[in-house]
Amino acid sequence: MDIDGDTEASSRRVQVRFITKLEAPLKVPTTSIAVPSNLTRFGLSTIVNNLLEARNPDWEAEPFDFLIDGELVRMSLEQFLLAKGITAEKILEIEYIKAVAPRKEEDPSPHNDWVSAVDGSSPGYILTGCYDHLGRVWKASGVCTRILDGHSDAVTSVSTITPEGAKSVTVATGSKDRTVRLWKFDAEEPVNHPLKIRAFKILRGHKASVQSVAAHVSGKMVCSGSWDCTINLWQTNSLVMEGDLVSTKKRKVNDQVDESQLEGEALSTLVGHTQCVSSVVWPEPESIYSASWDHSIRRWDAETGKDLSDIFCGKVLNCLDVGGEGSALIAAGGSDPVLRIWDPRTSAPVFQFASHASWISACKWHEKSWFHLLSASYDGKLMLWDLRTAWPLSIIESHNGKVLCADWWKGDSVVSGGDDSNLCISSAIYV
Amino acid sequence: MKNQKDMKTKSVETALNSEEPKEQKPQQQEVESNSDSSYEVFSGDDSSEDVGSSEESDSAESGSSGDEDFVNEGDSDGLENSGREDDGSEISDAHEGVEESDSSEDEVAPRNTVGDVPLIWYKDEPHIGYDIKGKKLKKKEKEDALGSFLSRVDDSNNWRKIYDEYNDEEVELKKDEIRLIRRLLKGKAPHPDFDPYAPYVDWFKYEDAKHPLSNAPEPKRRFIPSKWESKKVVEYIRAIRKGWIKFDKPKEEPHFSLLWADDSGLTEKANHLAYIPAPKPKLPGHDESYNPSPEYIPTQEEISSYQLLNEEDRPKFIPRSFTTLRSITTYENAFKDCFERCLDLYLCPRVRKKRLNIDPDSLLPKLPSRKDLKPYPVTCYIEYRGHKDAVTSISTEASGQWIASGSTDGTVRIWEIETGRCLRNWEVGEAVHSVAWNPSSEHPILAVSLGPDVLLLNTGLGNEEQQTKVKELLHVETPTATHESGERTSIVSWLRDDKYEGIRLRHFKTVSSVEWHRKGDYFSTVMPAGESRAIHIHRLSEKFSQRLPFKLHGLPVSSTFHPTRSHFFIATKKTIRVYDLLGERKLIKKLDTGFREVSSMAVHPAGDNLIVGSKEGKMCWFDTDLSSAPYKVLRCHPKDITNVAFHRSYPLFASCSDDCTAYIFHGMVYSDLNQNPLIVPLEILRGHTSSNGRGVLDCKFHPRQPWLFTAGADSVIRLHCH
């Protein structure tokens, strides 16, 4: 009897019921079962997999994550219940979701130099910028379809500006040669070898390196942040305008540039930052968000060019993204290992994720999910985060060296570039 | 009559003290004379009751009138008794007679013992009082007035009868008594034997004195109490009663004193202030006992371990156990100890040390908390790797996007601060001493000193217009020396450097450092071995060099332009001198560091303060407005300070040293001239490794962020962020 009592004490049991929002083959019967309370996520995942296997004999084990009261379980069930003050008397409802972790690591796509920028906003291709002055378009891992040739210095930022549904693709690149260039190509066109293309429009006006480029939702405009502390807004249309022609005449170095190339001047300049504007995003047509080395995040009215609100951080900011719940949360990282997330209505960060060991170079919200975001850091790690837990969901260590840029691709992959000159794709992430 | 009464009272007393021996007689007589007056009062009271006593009261008055004589007599009696007996033989006879009468009265029936109380208390009682055994004395049956009258008429002797109320009896006066009364009534001496004209008795005999001073009889005043004395006594009595005089309680002397107590309390009593009691020897404890408890006795191991100790550390006495006190051997050090104690008492100078009781914490200045002084560099996040050898010098670009570094491996590199990427690399082929970025953001020119040359390099940064300007600036005609005077060309020649598309300034000695003026047109070079021509100021736009027109005092180490005014700082090994370059062209200030060898100097962006690092690891802060002596000296590094730096906008300064650390300080300069600069040490930055005995060779702040770059001898540049 005594021994029985001891074992009972050491592994107390909790009545749980597994529920899910997943589709039919992943559903388990909603009957309650008693599980030992010292189970962790892995144990719960095994139970769910066993239950699924009982229904479907050729089921392949799949990692799951578990939510209790909207919070991810990151310790043993017992500790979790204690920490949250949840009674174990009642039947516990545990929601399970597919674990957000890369299941596949694709071969790195090598570049000639450090990969400084990556854009995966279009499902058909990945856009990268490189320190060898070139931009590249990748169809898949290792398959380069286009080379964007024309910059005279390292490409610092790339952005897709084509609105959904357009046939040919327009992209923008910013570079340390102080220009933003716009490129056009046909994404659907099958190619076997990399095709060099030239920019159709060169946007000059910045006095120092362009750090970041972002496009209007409609694709008619782009904005760029630069080391000259300004944000410039540019027209993307390919029509020849008076001003453009004038500017071509003025330019001396323009001789070698192809006649077909257009030049554009800034439509307007947003002045207000006192230091380098390191990152700009344009998530909604009316407002532009910018992060700067002067420790502030600003929201600009795109129409009037006025500074609407300020968030002061205290650290140099390198990356910025807006997304999450209601597409309103601001995530930013910079010169310290903490990824901070602000609600624009409050001045203090609502979330702080501090598992990195060095500067954060990139942060991106997942397009669909309200909870997931990824961050890249100079410590060589990519981390996937869920707002419902303070621990990273998974850590991707595909780079050996600094990770300089990262983005989601196709909703289930993470693409990243680093100073090991590789573009890495981690795929099969089910969010 | 009165005498008889006296006798009666006296007989009462003798009855009380019947067993007393005869030697006490004189005392009794004294009592007799004293009690006299009290009895008078008593009898006076009674006079109204008794008819026959009216005479007596008269006689009593007369008696009282002759009181003095009587007293005199009594006194003489006393004196006689105390002195000589043989002289007063007749008087003693008379006394005997009195005593006889007393004894005759003793035979009389039991006496009342109520004492001197008003007899009216017993008026209504059946008894008149108590005898000595405590029995009541019954009153006699009173005869009625007629019967008594008749009996008195019948009695021929009635006239000599007196009623003694006290004892309730009739007393018949005797013949001699009546005679006595009669004599009294006549005013004569009561006793017939008394001779008022007796020969004078000289009480004071001058047998030894041949020549008495005076033969005058003893004055009366000798025998009567002094009037003044009694007045004085009355005065005292009054004062005591009113509390004017207070009697101090006798001080309680402590019964016990601590034999071994510290003598310090005695010092107050000592006459001289500087008295210091000798220290007491230590008290013997349990271990000095002849038979101490076993725990006091050291084991053999311990004793042998004592031998290993130093002579002075060894215990003086090793406890041993003896069964009896007798068996204790002689203490071999007795003489030695005694001698030492004597020496100590005699020779040991005892000085009263006035030790101030000050809390050491209170002496520390109140510094603000480090947390309140944020931001400042704390952790290293980015390392710039690429150099093959020690990085000797770094310089940040004005915008804070780039940093240049020079190394002993003969390369000059430009790094992107944000990513740590090496942007450019010049192989200059010679160890670089110093790099300096032109402070003007419009001229991205880098000045590099290597050996005797200073290279001005075009970094290729900036936009096209800036580039064209820079190219114009860096364009030199090949025969530079032609239009300049011979002397100048011999010092510095401006040569075109085709390899790096820049200018090469050839000096005649090794150039150790290059410093730009804030506007980016002038720059100064220091050649420590150049003696009187050690420091030059060059003008880039005119390609013109000139020697500093001041005499140098000592070996120049470093030079700097004032950040706002046209002043020029020159650091030599021991002093800093400030010169005015415009206007009067003279020495303005001389700052004395007090160091053996100054290694570096940095000027606060406001220009009034500067820090100087020395090769002995000390750093000092000068407030030039305050004095020419250091305002604060910070002794922080165990090894040479290699460089010091101020931040351009944050109140921070830093020092780096060969001990592989860099120190960050908060250095707030207030615009209020009355407030001294606030210096707070903040952080020690570590991380560099030592190489060839050198540690961190240079440190520079980021121009806009509170970040510090440190260049190490381990060929790494590290960026420390807040």
Side-chain angles (χ1 to χ4, degrees):
Chain A
M1 271 310 280
D2 281 352
I3 297 161
D4 280 352
D6 278 352
T7 51
E8 195 68 12
S10 63
S11 63
R12 233 176 288 152
R13 286 177 179 272
V14 189
Q15 290 283 323
V16 298
R17 179 191 294 145
F18 290 104
I19 53 167
T20 187
K21 287 172 189 151
L22 295 170
E23 292 307 310
L26 292 167
K27 275 206 191 315
V28 294
T30 52
T31 50
S32 69
I33 49 172
V35 297
S37 64
N38 56 1
L39 278 188
T40 55
R41 186 207 66 83
F42 180 73
L44 289 170
S45 187
T46 327
I47 289 174
V48 172
N49 275 314
N50 285 342
L51 289 170
L52 289 169
E53 202 173 0
R55 283 189 148 196
N56 182 2
D58 36 283
W59 169 255
E60 274 182 42
E62 167 90 18
F64 290 101
D65 240 326
F66 298 89
L67 285 161
I68 298 173
D69 287 354
E71 191 124 9
L72 283 169
V73 180
R74 274 291 175 275
M75 35 187 135
S76 82
L77 213 49
E78 190 172 19
Q79 283 175 314
F80 185 87
L81 295 183
L82 271 176
K84 301 290 164 197
I86 303 169
T87 174
E89 301 290 316
K90 285 193 288 185
I91 296 173
L92 197 62
E93 287 205 338
I94 302 181
E95 187 186 346
Y96 63 94
I97 52 174
K98 280 186 167 183
V100 177
R103 290 159 182 78
K104 217 165 109 194
E105 200 69 46
E106 286 174 36
D107 289 338
S109 317
H111 288 64
N112 294 335
D113 211 332
W114 294 10
V115 182
S116 56
V118 68
D119 182 80
S121 56
S122 164
Y125 57 89
I126 306 162
L127 199 60
T128 63
C130 182
Y131 267 85
D132 61 358
H133 313 176
L134 301 177
R136 287 183 178 79
V137 181
W138 302 80
K139 197 159 186 196
S141 167
V143 184
C144 179
T145 56
R146 297 283 192 294
I147 292 175
L148 314 177
D149 183 14
H151 279 298
S152 58
D153 209 333
V155 177
T156 54
S157 164
V158 290
S159 173
T160 304
I161 45 179
T162 317
E164 294 294 320
K167 202 187 169 208
S168 68
V169 177
T170 315
V171 297
T173 58
S175 161
K176 287 195 196 290
D177 65 0
R178 303 173 294 278
T179 61
V180 175
R181 289 178 197 230
L182 306 180
W183 318 74
K184 227 177 226 174
F185 57 90
D186 192 354
E188 303 303 316
E189 191 187 336
V191 268
N192 297 329
H193 58 92
L195 200 69
K196 279 201 177 183
I197 54 167
R198 308 194 68 115
F200 76 90
K201 194 165 186 180
I202 302 169
L203 308 172
R204 294 178 202 273
H206 278 301
K207 294 185 189 70
S209 311
V210 176
Q211 281 294 101
S212 175
V213 176
H216 189 263
V217 179
S218 69
K220 284 186 181 143
M221 287 172 84
V222 289
C223 64
S224 62
S226 156
W227 262 96
D228 61 8
C229 316
T230 60
I231 300 163
N232 281 5
L233 304 186
W234 318 84
Q235 289 263 335
T236 60
N237 54 0
S238 52
L239 296 170
V240 183
M241 287 163 77
E242 284 299 306
D244 297 348
L245 286 173
V246 171
S247 74
T248 25
K249 278 175 195 166
K250 272 190 200 162
R251 307 272 334 139
K252 288 179 194 166
V253 271
N254 209 20
D255 301 344
Q256 73 243 28
V257 176
D258 196 340
E259 289 301 315
S260 65
Q261 276 181 317
L262 301 169
E263 296 219 346
E265 280 194 336
L267 206 63
S268 69
T269 302
L270 310 180
V271 183
H273 280 297
T274 56
Q275 290 190 47
C276 158
V277 181
S278 54
S279 184
V280 286
V281 284
W282 202 340
E284 43 207 87
E286 63 272 14
S287 55
I288 296 170
Y289 292 85
S290 66
S292 161
W293 276 39
D294 63 7
H295 309 173
S296 67
I297 298 170
R298 291 180 194 223
R299 189 159 71 91
W300 308 84
D301 188 323
E303 297 288 322
T304 60
K306 271 187 187 146
D307 181 7
L308 292 179
S309 70
D310 265 5
I311 295 171
F312 191 75
C313 165
K315 304 275 162 138
V316 162
L317 296 167
N318 279 329
C319 56
L320 171 78
D321 200 18
V322 178
E325 191 170 351
S327 294
L329 296 180
I330 302 167
S335 69
D336 65 339
V338 184
L339 176 67
R340 295 183 176 83
I341 293 160
W342 283 271
D343 188 323
R345 294 166 293 189
T346 60
S347 60
V350 286
F351 294 103
Q352 297 203 26
F353 298 118
S355 289
H356 279 297
S358 189
W359 283 23
I360 290 171
S361 52
C363 60
K364 287 279 178 189
W365 287 95
H366 191 268
E367 242 178 304
K368 307 267 165 54
S369 166
W370 280 2
F371 304 111
H372 294 89
L373 73 160
L374 77 86
S375 66
S377 164
Y378 283 177
D379 61 2
K381 289 172 188 164
L382 284 154
M383 289 191 188
L384 300 177
W385 299 94
D386 192 311
L387 293 190
R388 294 167 290 188
T389 181
W391 286 269
L393 292 177
S394 71
I395 299 169
I396 305 166
E397 290 177 85
S398 49
H399 288 278
N400 49 2
K402 293 169 193 151
V403 185
L404 299 175
C405 54
D407 200 0
W408 296 94
W409 188 41
K410 298 197 278 196
D412 66 346
S413 305
V414 168
V415 289
S416 61
D419 72 351
D420 57 353
S421 311
N422 281 330
L423 171 72
C424 291
I425 305 172
S426 307
S427 57
I429 301 166
Y430 303 112
V431 176
Chain B
M1 178 77 187
K2 181 186 169 250
N3 260 5
Q4 191 197 17
K5 275 184 187 169
D6 285 348
M7 282 165 207
K8 273 179 204 158
T9 52
K10 209 194 78 187
S11 66
V12 173
E13 278 158 8
T14 46
L16 285 170
N17 309 322
S18 56
E19 283 159 19
E20 280 183 22
K22 276 231 168 162
E23 285 88 64
Q24 289 189 348
K25 266 185 225 160
Q27 276 188 359
Q28 283 173 358
Q29 277 167 359
E30 267 187 303
V31 170
E32 173 194 18
S33 63
N34 285 340
S35 62
D36 184 6
S37 58
S38 68
Y39 198 71
E40 268 177 12
V41 174
F42 185 48
S43 62
D45 277 344
D46 286 14
S47 59
S48 58
E49 205 168 303
D50 206 313
V51 183
S53 64
S54 60
E55 273 183 28
E56 291 164 28
S57 66
D58 284 344
S59 69
E61 274 172 8
S62 67
S64 68
S65 66
D67 194 40
E68 276 191 10
D69 290 338
F70 193 74
V71 169
N72 239 341
E73 220 174 316
D75 278 343
S76 65
D77 269 0
L79 280 168
E80 175 203 29
N81 283 325
S82 62
R84 304 148 300 274
E85 283 176 16
D86 45 350
D87 284 333
S89 52
E90 9 172 82
I91 296 165
S92 65
D93 284 344
H95 276 280
E96 270 167 23
V98 172
E99 271 188 35
E100 273 174 11
S101 69
D102 270 353
S103 62
S104 68
E105 278 186 7
D106 275 347
E107 292 159 12
V108 183
R111 299 297 170 112
N112 196 355
T113 59
V114 287
D116 189 11
V117 295
L119 293 176
I120 199 158
W121 293 356
Y122 293 93
K123 195 176 146 193
D124 300 328
E125 297 293 329
H127 58 279
I128 55 158
Y130 308 89
D131 64 0
I132 51 169
K133 285 173 182 165
K135 282 177 186 164
K136 286 178 179 173
L137 294 173
K138 287 273 166 51
K139 278 184 182 167
K140 282 180 185 159
E141 286 290 314
K142 278 239 173 173
E143 292 169 0
D144 57 326
L146 186 65
S148 64
F149 175 73
L150 288 175
S151 62
R152 259 190 274 168
V153 169
D154 291 343
D155 196 353
S156 60
N157 286 336
N158 184 38
W159 63 276
R160 47 167 99 176
K161 274 186 184 164
I162 293 171
Y163 175 67
D164 179 7
E165 200 178 12
Y166 189 70
N167 290 318
D168 195 24
E169 62 185 359
E170 295 243 310
V171 180
E172 197 179 312
L173 296 177
K174 291 172 190 136
K175 260 187 184 163
D176 54 338
E177 284 171 342
I178 293 193
R179 210 178 299 143
L180 194 92
I181 292 167
R182 287 219 171 104
R183 286 180 67 87
L184 279 174
L185 285 172
K186 280 177 186 165
K188 291 177 181 172
H191 264 274
D193 305 333
F194 178 72
D195 179 15
Y197 310 109
Y200 172 71
V201 179
D202 193 1
W203 300 103
F204 298 93
K205 298 215 165 151
Y206 305 101
E207 285 168 350
D208 301 330
K210 281 184 177 173
H211 305 285
L213 287 176
S214 158
N215 205 18
E218 204 64 10
K220 185 184 172 183
R221 62 176 179 274
R222 297 271 161 86
F223 302 97
I224 57 169
S226 157
K227 190 183 173 187
W228 286 105
E229 272 178 10
S230 64
K231 273 191 173 178
K232 206 78 194 163
V233 167
V234 167
E235 217 171 83
Y236 282 138
I237 289 168
R238 266 180 61 199
I240 290 166
R241 283 195 183 144
K242 298 211 169 175
W244 296 338
I245 293 178
K246 274 179 187 156
F247 300 101
D248 294 335
K249 279 183 184 171
K251 273 189 184 171
E252 279 185 24
E253 289 281 320
H255 294 275
F256 313 103
S257 60
L258 285 170
L259 184 62
W260 295 100
D262 191 21
D263 278 340
S264 56
L266 294 174
T267 53
E268 316 305 322
K269 291 174 191 169
N271 286 334
H272 46 290
L273 291 169
Y275 172 72
I276 300 166
K280 298 223 157 150
K282 199 189 136 235
L283 283 177
H286 289 294
D287 44 350
E288 273 97 349
S289 161
Y290 78 96
N291 191 8
S293 308
E295 65 261 28
Y296 291 106
I297 299 170
T299 59
Q300 196 56 46
E301 287 171 21
E302 281 174 322
I303 290 171
S304 54
S305 74
Y306 292 154
Q307 296 302 315
L308 299 174
L309 285 174
N310 203 10
E311 178 83 40
E312 289 174 356
D313 298 337
R314 249 177 249 167
K316 294 259 161 47
F317 175 76
I318 296 168
R320 276 197 292 164
S321 178
F322 300 98
T323 48
T324 57
L325 202 56
R326 233 175 353 141
S327 54
I328 302 173
T329 52
T330 3
Y331 178 50
E332 64 268 28
N333 286 335
F335 282 108
K336 197 178 160 216
D337 280 7
C338 199
F339 174 69
E340 275 176 0
R341 172 74 181 157
C342 287
L343 265 191
D344 186 40
L345 291 176
Y346 172 54
L347 286 177
C348 178
R350 278 182 270 282
V351 180
R352 192 179 297 277
K353 278 184 188 161
K354 289 233 165 165
R355 190 169 291 163
L356 293 174
N357 193 16
I358 296 175
D359 181 21
D361 292 336
S362 69
L363 293 174
L364 289 174
K366 293 268 175 298
L367 291 180
S369 157
R370 291 201 306 168
K371 279 180 193 165
D372 305 336
L373 302 175
K374 279 182 178 177
Y376 56 86
V378 176
T379 37
C380 170
Y381 287 123
I382 299 179
E383 291 185 346
Y384 304 86
R385 287 176 184 274
H387 279 296
K388 304 278 187 302
D389 207 343
V391 183
T392 49
S393 175
I394 47 176
S395 177
T396 50
E397 193 240 350
S399 69
Q401 197 179 358
W402 315 103
I403 180 169
S405 67
S407 163
T408 50
D409 64 357
T411 58
V412 175
R413 287 169 189 254
I414 292 179
W415 309 83
E416 192 183 6
I417 289 170
E418 188 191 350
T419 55
R421 183 186 168 83
C422 177
L423 189 79
R424 283 197 75 159
N425 184 7
W426 285 282
E427 297 275 348
V428 292
E430 211 172 334
V432 177
H433 289 297
S434 160
V435 290
W437 209 298
N438 192 319
S440 156
S441 55
E442 281 152 30
H443 306 304
I445 296 170
L446 195 63
V448 181
S449 79
L450 46 136
D453 296 344
V454 171
L455 269 179
L456 297 178
L457 297 173
N458 179 8
T459 57
L461 301 170
N463 56 28
E464 287 82 359
E465 292 164 34
Q466 290 170 359
Q467 274 300 313
T468 48
K469 257 192 198 168
V470 165
K471 274 176 186 156
E472 279 171 28
L473 270 176
L474 293 180
H475 179 73
V476 192
E477 325 286 293
T478 13
T480 34
T482 48
H483 64 278
E484 284 178 22
S485 71
E487 197 207 350
R488 276 177 193 159
T489 45
S490 67
I491 304 165
V492 177
S493 50
W494 293 68
L495 302 170
R496 187 161 155 186
D497 196 307
D498 293 325
K499 190 180 168 192
Y500 309 113
E501 294 175 348
I503 301 175
R504 183 181 285 265
L505 284 88
R506 177 137 297 163
H507 292 65
F508 65 98
K509 283 274 163 54
T510 307
V511 177
S512 68
S513 73
V514 183
E515 284 284 340
W516 285 91
H517 184 250
R518 65 179 185 280
K519 283 180 182 157
D521 195 13
Y522 293 96
F523 62 97
S524 70
T525 54
V526 177
M527 289 174 284
E531 292 173 353
S532 65
R533 297 171 298 173
I535 297 178
H536 287 86
I537 296 178
H538 311 272
R539 189 166 184 194
L540 177 61
S541 55
E542 295 187 1
K543 319 280 184 298
F544 172 72
S545 302
Q546 72 178 111
R547 187 171 68 83
L548 197 74
F550 307 112
K551 187 174 178 277
L552 287 170
H553 306 264
L555 214 59
V557 175
S558 158
S559 67
T560 319
F561 290 94
H562 191 283
T564 50
R565 271 171 277 173
S566 62
H567 294 170
F568 192 64
F569 295 82
I570 294 171
T572 55
K573 290 232 159 166
K574 295 208 167 141
T575 54
I576 313 287
R577 285 183 165 78
V578 189
Y579 297 96
D580 193 357
L581 293 178
L582 285 177
E584 293 174 37
R585 291 174 159 257
K586 62 165 191 188
L587 178 76
I588 300 171
K589 239 166 226 150
K590 185 187 157 199
L591 306 171
D592 206 357
T593 59
F595 294 151
R596 256 179 284 123
E597 201 172 346
V598 170
S599 64
S600 51
M601 162 178 72
V603 183
H604 188 267
D608 285 336
N609 296 275
L610 75 158
I611 46 174
V612 177
S614 82
K615 290 212 170 167
E616 60 235 69
K618 286 185 205 163
M619 178 166 55
C620 65
W621 174 293
F622 283 102
D623 191 338
T624 53
D625 289 337
L626 199 69
S627 98
S628 65
Y631 161 62
K632 283 271 158 68
V633 177
L634 308 166
R635 201 175 292 110
C636 44
H637 289 285
K639 283 189 177 174
D640 300 7
I641 289 180
T642 48
N643 220 325
V644 288
F646 266 111
H647 197 283
R648 252 173 51 178
S649 46
Y650 288 89
L652 294 172
F653 65 98
S655 67
C656 62
S657 153
D658 277 341
D659 59 3
C660 301
T661 59
Y663 282 62
I664 307 289
F665 299 89
H666 175 87
M668 183 58 128
V669 175
Y670 299 96
S671 51
D672 177 12
L673 286 174
N674 291 325
Q675 207 164 358
N676 283 331
L678 172 73
I679 299 172
V680 185
L682 291 176
E683 189 76 32
I684 302 172
L685 304 175
R686 299 170 206 275
H688 283 287
T689 51
S690 180
S691 148
N692 295 332
R694 307 300 311 270
V696 184
L697 299 181
D698 198 2
C699 63
K700 285 273 160 31
F701 277 104
H702 189 276
R704 290 181 173 181
Q705 304 293 342
W707 298 347
L708 184 79
F709 296 95
T710 53
D714 53 356
S715 74
V716 184
I717 304 163
R718 292 164 72 96
L719 168 61
H720 301 269
C721 300
H722 61 290

